[in-house]
Amino acid sequence: YDTVVIGGGPGGYVAAIKAAQLGQKTACIEKRDTLGGTCLNVGCIPSKALLHNSHLFHEAQHGFAKRGIDVGQVKLNLPQLLADKDKAVSGLTRGIEMLFKKNKVDWIKGSGQLKSPTEIEVALNAGGVEQVAAKNIIIATGSEPSPFPGFEIDEKQIITSTGALALEKVPEKMIVIGGGVIGLELGSVWSRLGSQVTVVEYLPAIGAGMDAELAKTFQRSLAKQGIKFKTSTKVVGSEKQNGKVLVAVEGAKSGKQETLEADVVLVSVGRRPYTEGLGLENVGISVDKRGCIQMADEFRTAVSNIRVIGDATVGPMLAHKAEEEGIAAVEYITNGHGHVNYNVIPSVIYTHPEVAWVGKNEQQLKDEGVKYKVGSFPFAANSRAKTIDDAEGLVKIITDAESDRILGAHIIGPNAGEMIAEACLAMEYGGSAEDVARTCHAHPTMSEAFKEACMSAYGKPIHF
């Protein structure tokens, strides 16, 4: 093979397809029975199905009547809710398999282990071993949930994100350890379905990496929905007792001890690179203390013809970042040129309201000594948001004080995850707030809030 990709997740399968499209004889080694990796099977995709449908359930219970829609008693059919999620996942995974066939990518089903810089031994799922020779190798093995001391995962009572996608009944009480993206999304799902959810976070604020102003707004919004928060709180340990899980916590500063009780505990304290059994030691590739494979120029490891992308190496653990790296790595192999702009990698939390951001936040710019301006616009002053009675949140644009170039965009509100793409495009082309503000936006749309935030950054908005 010209190129062999180890791992069939978003980074790996995209890299394999791109390599084939560029004329390389390509194979992808993946041990799951389906392609798509964590994201498609037990991550981004199934969680979005549950987030969407649980939001509809919550709206039917609490929002329909005020809109003039009387539906009587709304009941949850949890098995059907989960089946709908599974249907979405199976359809998309089969789609990747079809794309492999269309682009003539060989899928080798099994676990790959590096034997030399050009040899991979695959323990086949069907039994036996296959030796695969490759001029170029791309490691795209992804990540797995980080373990947490004192919590033994059983995916029934003490669960990771995987277990949270398949609970057989709605827990009366749920504790979420970690107030990051995964914990807040899945905590929202089960809260909407009727669980009493408490989020325990060691840091003073939720939404790691989020702009401080948005983080406060976000926490207030989720609290109004019934989710409880214990920030600046350290989790000490757990024990099971009488069918419940007791979680010992203490104040990160005060040291005040407390015991929380739950039916289910979701451990979502981040993820770590997955490189188990990969045989890195056979070829002289090392990992850092977090388990990340070290990456040099052009995504090369210590072995020049072996590259690494996605969660297995440094940077944000995001599917779209892995996809961009997969394409760029293949382009480097093919023609010596590839491109990923790490200043324009968006983050999204798919709760309600959604939160999305890209580029720098205020604190980062203060730390860097950069002079900046801020423009913001509330959805409460946006006509489309008001007409659909979904007007919580705001758009915040941060620009360079001298050049007006957009340095960061932070959105909390309806369709934030879609709207952030406009910020990414503007930033990729070095656009200014005035460039966006002078671009005609359709009326009435949510995107007008983005335009008016840009107007606010360099002048004044019209509607606020």
Side-chain angles (χ1 to χ4, degrees):
Y1 289 99
D2 296 312
T3 296
V4 171
V5 182
I6 305 176
Y13 85 73
V14 167
I17 290 170
K18 187 66 176 180
Q21 288 175 343
L22 293 176
Q24 298 177 36
K25 183 172 168 52
T26 308
C28 180
I29 300 168
E30 170 55 55
K31 67 180 181 180
R32 284 184 196 267
D33 292 330
T34 50
L35 294 162
T38 294
C39 173
L40 213 54
N41 289 280
V42 289
C44 331
I45 298 304
S47 63
K48 300 312 157 285
L50 291 183
L51 280 158
H52 179 72
N53 288 343
S54 64
H55 175 62
L56 293 178
F57 176 70
H58 189 266
E59 276 293 286
Q61 282 186 312
H62 305 285
F64 277 11
K66 67 179 178 181
R67 299 176 190 276
I69 305 169
D70 293 328
V71 292
Q73 187 180 3
V74 179
K75 293 182 179 178
L76 174 66
N77 182 341
L78 186 57
Q80 181 56 40
L81 192 86
L82 298 177
D84 190 60
K85 167 210 58 164
D86 294 339
K87 177 186 169 190
V89 170
S90 62
L92 287 166
T93 55
R94 284 198 303 271
I96 300 172
E97 207 169 333
M98 287 171 59
L99 289 171
F100 268 22
K101 289 173 183 172
K102 177 185 174 184
N103 290 283
K104 297 181 172 59
V105 175
D106 291 341
W107 175 14
I108 302 171
K109 299 180 183 182
S111 302
Q113 185 177 70
L114 299 166
K115 288 299 180 183
S116 80
T118 56
E119 292 174 299
I120 306 164
E121 184 175 277
V122 183
L124 299 171
N125 290 353
V129 171
E130 183 177 335
Q131 305 298 329
V132 179
K135 294 174 190 171
N136 298 282
I137 297 170
I138 297 176
I139 297 171
T141 47
S143 61
E144 63 182 351
S146 296
F148 195 68
F151 289 80
E152 192 172 328
I153 304 297
D154 58 20
E155 298 298 13
K156 297 292 183 186
Q157 278 191 291
I158 299 178
I159 62 175
T160 65
S161 54
T162 301
L165 297 168
L167 291 176
E168 293 173 358
K169 66 177 183 177
V170 178
E172 187 181 335
K173 291 183 179 179
M174 172 183 271
I175 291 172
V176 177
I177 301 175
V181 176
I182 297 169
L184 295 173
E185 287 187 353
L186 293 171
S188 283
V189 166
W190 293 103
S191 171
R192 293 167 186 168
L193 298 180
S195 185
Q196 297 174 36
V197 175
T198 301
V199 176
V200 181
E201 170 57 52
Y202 181 74
L203 296 173
I206 62 169
M210 194 185 296
D211 182 85
E213 181 186 358
L214 261 68
K216 288 176 185 173
T217 304
F218 187 34
Q219 185 171 330
R220 279 198 304 270
S221 177
L222 293 178
K224 277 194 291 184
Q225 295 171 32
I227 297 176
K228 295 177 182 175
F229 291 92
K230 287 188 172 293
T231 53
S232 299
T233 302
K234 180 181 179 182
V235 175
V236 180
S238 70
E239 67 170 300
K240 291 181 181 176
Q241 207 174 84
N242 301 324
K244 306 285 186 183
V245 183
L246 304 181
V247 179
V249 301
E250 62 181 41
K253 291 181 181 176
S254 67
K256 181 186 175 185
Q257 296 182 338
E258 188 181 355
T259 299
L260 308 176
E261 182 186 277
D263 301 282
V264 171
V265 175
L266 167 58
V267 179
S268 57
V269 292
R271 298 180 65 82
R272 65 180 182 183
Y274 180 74
T275 56
E276 184 184 344
L278 193 51
L280 298 174
E281 64 283 356
N282 297 339
V283 292
I285 295 175
S286 59
V287 299
D288 66 14
K289 61 183 180 183
R290 288 185 58 244
C292 290
I293 297 173
Q294 296 300 288
M295 178 179 70
D297 289 345
E298 302 180 7
F299 307 100
R300 295 182 195 269
T301 64
V303 182
S304 64
N305 70 306
I306 301 179
R307 288 172 163 82
V308 61
I309 62 169
D311 291 5
T313 189
V314 295
M317 289 185 169
L318 297 166
H320 44 279
K321 175 258 199 187
E323 290 182 19
E324 296 300 313
E325 289 183 333
I327 289 173
V330 167
E331 288 175 335
Y332 276 123
I333 290 170
T334 309
N335 55 37
H337 300 285
H339 166 80
V340 178
N341 183 350
Y342 289 100
N343 292 318
V344 189
I345 304 287
S347 295
V348 183
I349 304 182
Y350 297 86
T351 47
H352 194 89
E354 287 187 353
V355 188
W357 66 94
V358 65
K360 304 285 187 179
N361 61 40
E362 284 195 71
Q363 190 58 52
Q364 288 170 325
L365 292 171
K366 285 176 184 173
D367 294 344
E368 293 170 13
V370 176
K371 292 181 180 177
Y372 64 89
K373 289 183 178 179
V374 175
S376 64
F377 190 83
F379 282 106
N382 174 267
S383 56
R384 183 73 197 279
K386 292 294 281 186
T387 56
I388 64 170
D389 193 22
D390 193 1
E392 190 174 11
L394 64 115
V395 180
K396 178 176 178 179
I397 303 293
I398 306 175
T399 60
D400 183 274
E402 292 181 17
S403 69
D404 190 42
R405 187 166 59 89
I406 298 173
L407 302 177
H410 306 269
I411 308 170
I412 177 168
N415 290 4
E418 302 292 340
M419 204 181 300
I420 201 69
E422 179 170 8
C424 294
L425 190 62
M427 290 172 67
E428 186 65 44
Y429 282 91
S432 68
E434 187 174 357
D435 288 332
V436 175
R438 291 191 180 278
T439 301
C440 185
H441 287 58
H443 175 79
T445 60
M446 307 287 190
S447 66
E448 288 177 291
F450 191 92
K451 173 182 176 171
E452 296 235 32
C454 287
M455 293 175 80
S456 175
Y458 82 91
K460 288 185 177 180
I462 299 295
H463 292 97
F464 186 65

